[in-house]
Amino acid sequence: MVTSPKSPKSPVSQSPNSNQASSPPAPVVSGSGPTPLGAEEQNAAGLLPASHWTQQPLAEEDPADDGASTIGSFTSSTASLSSKIFEYRTIHGRTYHGDVGNAEAWEPNDQRHVEAMEIFHHAMLVQLDGKLYLSPLDKKKVHRVLDIATGSGMWAIDFADEFPNAEVIGTDVSPIQPSWVPPNVKFEIDDCNQEWTWAENSFDFIHMRMLIGVVDGDWSALFRNAFRCCKPGGYAESCVCDITFVSDDGSVKEGSAMDQWGKVFTEGGKKLGRTFSVYEEDLQRKGMEAAGFVDVEFVDIQCPIGVWHPEKKPAERGLWYKMAVEADLEGYINYILQVVMGWTPEETKAFATHVKQEWNNPEIHGYFMIRVVYGRKPE
């Protein structure tokens, strides 16, 4: 580890992104969804053609089932949600959130992905040495907490257990959180890209984890909202992963699946209007400082992918992160590759298999960076 210097929401009725995709092989999205990136655009960005991955020999096919998981019933104990919230979009056999604000989340919300999110939550705890946050919080002064894009809700639940006297509110565009939670936790449907309707000075701590590819264009607006809603003396914290795999010894070779991973997500984010290049562009620190936060600090964590690292702690970080993403690799890449980039399901599956093989190759010493940034609102 390297250290360096939304008020309760009611269901949203707008429907700007009610995209539908056709069945394989050609992903077609109707409505206001992105037009897939053309072959010339992909070539100009340094991307290999999607067909490249189906033509490469594979040592072994991945036996994982790519089918959709059954969606169980969900009962909210904290809000009365309209049925529209549960009208999920089905794209290539996976479900995605319904129409909420201006959201267009690229991760599915079915049970298979929720389970992967729960593994990912543990993987992130491993990255932070078992900590839920890095901000220098005073437990006596933390009474109200907001977790933006809470996902499976595990972070909010764990934080509520650690701070039993604090009210913890988790927001997301999908109602996938458990109904049995600590009494000081509640979940609400909201899109963080909309103007937050929480009153000024509402929260002692605002937590934002893995919003890459989620924020609609303007990360500065996200932090302006956080600054307004944060109490004087309170903290906001943002954690993101870099999407580029690198190596110090050249083992992540140009044109490899790991090399192409970063390029695909970079171009897909540009097409979607929701950048994945948050780490490279230093958007967290810049956004916090521009919003008015002070004492802004960041922590960079180098995470190997796989278990190639000779030291125990980095190897553990890499193992858990690999396990988390591999728990539903197709879920993490389907929307970007098929809907945004225009790849076929066959090409996407072939690419996923090549990625897994490289992650599991001990001769490839790839890693990526995780950055946590936190800042305080002046008193």
Side-chain angles (χ1 to χ4, degrees):
M1 184 179 295
V2 181
T3 306
S4 308
K6 277 162 180 212
S7 91
K9 303 292 179 178
S10 58
V12 182
S13 60
Q14 300 100 299
S15 304
N17 293 302
S18 55
N19 303 338
Q20 294 290 338
S22 70
S23 301
V28 178
V29 181
S30 61
S32 58
T35 302
L37 206 63
E40 291 185 2
E41 293 175 289
Q42 296 191 38
N43 183 64
L47 297 178
L48 295 171
S51 59
H52 168 84
W53 303 107
T54 61
Q55 297 167 1
Q56 302 306 303
L58 292 170
E60 181 179 337
E61 286 293 335
D62 190 334
D65 179 16
D66 293 336
S69 301
T70 302
I71 304 300
S73 61
F74 176 91
T75 303
S76 170
S77 62
T78 62
S80 176
L81 304 176
S82 75
S83 60
K84 198 166 188 62
I85 295 299
F86 300 95
E87 292 177 1
Y88 298 151
R89 299 166 296 153
T90 300
I91 302 175
H92 294 301
R94 306 300 296 272
T95 63
Y96 296 78
H97 66 83
D99 296 322
V100 178
N102 198 33
E104 189 168 357
W106 52 278
E107 294 184 48
N109 64 2
D110 49 36
Q111 186 58 37
R112 178 181 174 187
H113 200 69
V114 170
E115 292 171 359
M117 287 181 185
E118 292 173 350
I119 300 174
F120 184 84
H121 171 65
H122 180 77
M124 292 308 299
L125 288 178
V126 172
Q127 309 307 316
L128 301 187
D129 294 329
K131 298 177 182 178
L132 289 167
Y133 58 91
L134 297 184
S135 299
L137 302 182
D138 183 344
K139 286 193 174 184
K140 297 179 181 179
K141 297 181 179 180
V142 176
H143 306 292
R144 203 157 184 245
V145 176
L146 178 63
D147 184 29
I148 296 294
T150 193
S152 67
M154 296 305 296
W155 185 93
I157 292 170
D158 284 355
F159 191 93
D161 284 337
E162 186 174 329
F163 288 74
N165 295 321
E167 177 189 19
V168 182
I169 301 171
T171 67
D172 204 272
V173 295
S174 286
I176 56 176
Q177 301 77 32
S179 56
W180 290 96
V181 298
N184 56 326
V185 175
K186 63 180 178 179
F187 298 112
E188 296 167 357
I189 300 300
D190 193 24
D191 174 20
C192 65
N193 290 306
Q194 302 292 296
E195 185 69 18
W196 297 6
T197 58
W198 303 105
E200 292 185 13
N201 307 325
S202 294
F203 298 98
D204 301 290
F205 184 44
I206 298 176
H207 178 257
M208 298 166 278
R209 187 171 72 181
M210 296 305 159
L211 295 185
I212 54 173
V214 172
V215 177
D216 185 10
D218 189 1
W219 273 72
S220 296
L222 176 78
F223 291 115
R224 286 196 298 271
N225 272 321
F227 185 83
R228 180 176 54 80
C229 295
C230 190
K231 292 181 181 179
Y235 280 84
E237 180 169 312
S238 167
C239 174
V240 303
C241 289
D242 187 10
I243 43 82
T244 301
F245 292 108
V246 296
S247 61
D248 294 334
D249 60 1
S251 55
V252 175
K253 300 185 182 300
E254 185 175 356
S256 66
M258 288 175 66
D259 168 71
Q260 290 286 296
W261 176 281
K263 293 182 172 69
V264 168
F265 273 89
T266 296
E267 295 306 313
K270 290 178 182 178
K271 190 69 177 178
L272 196 60
R274 291 164 164 80
T275 185
F276 285 88
S277 302
V278 179
Y279 173 85
E280 294 91 335
E281 298 177 30
D282 197 16
L283 297 181
Q284 300 153 283
R285 183 185 60 81
K286 292 177 180 177
M288 281 196 182
E289 291 180 346
F293 287 100
V294 297
D295 299 334
V296 176
E297 300 285 349
F298 68 88
V299 176
D300 281 348
I301 303 164
Q302 185 185 92
C303 182
I305 190 71
V307 292
W308 59 264
H309 204 285
E311 298 177 15
K312 181 180 179 180
K313 185 173 287 188
E316 184 182 11
R317 291 203 302 267
L319 172 62
W320 274 103
Y321 201 93
K322 184 178 76 71
M323 288 174 57
V325 181
E326 284 186 345
D328 188 19
L329 178 57
E330 291 74 20
Y332 282 110
I333 67 177
N334 279 356
Y335 193 85
I336 295 297
L337 268 62
Q338 296 180 39
V339 177
V340 180
M341 303 297 287
W343 294 23
T344 68
E346 291 178 336
E347 292 164 341
T348 301
K349 184 175 181 179
F351 178 71
T353 305
H354 282 286
V355 167
K356 287 181 181 179
Q357 287 189 351
E358 292 183 14
W359 285 351
N360 287 288
N361 185 345
E363 301 302 316
I364 300 178
H365 303 151
Y367 65 87
F368 63 97
M369 301 302 297
I370 298 172
R371 174 167 289 177
V372 179
V373 181
Y374 57 86
R376 178 177 60 85
K377 183 173 180 175
E379 297 187 54

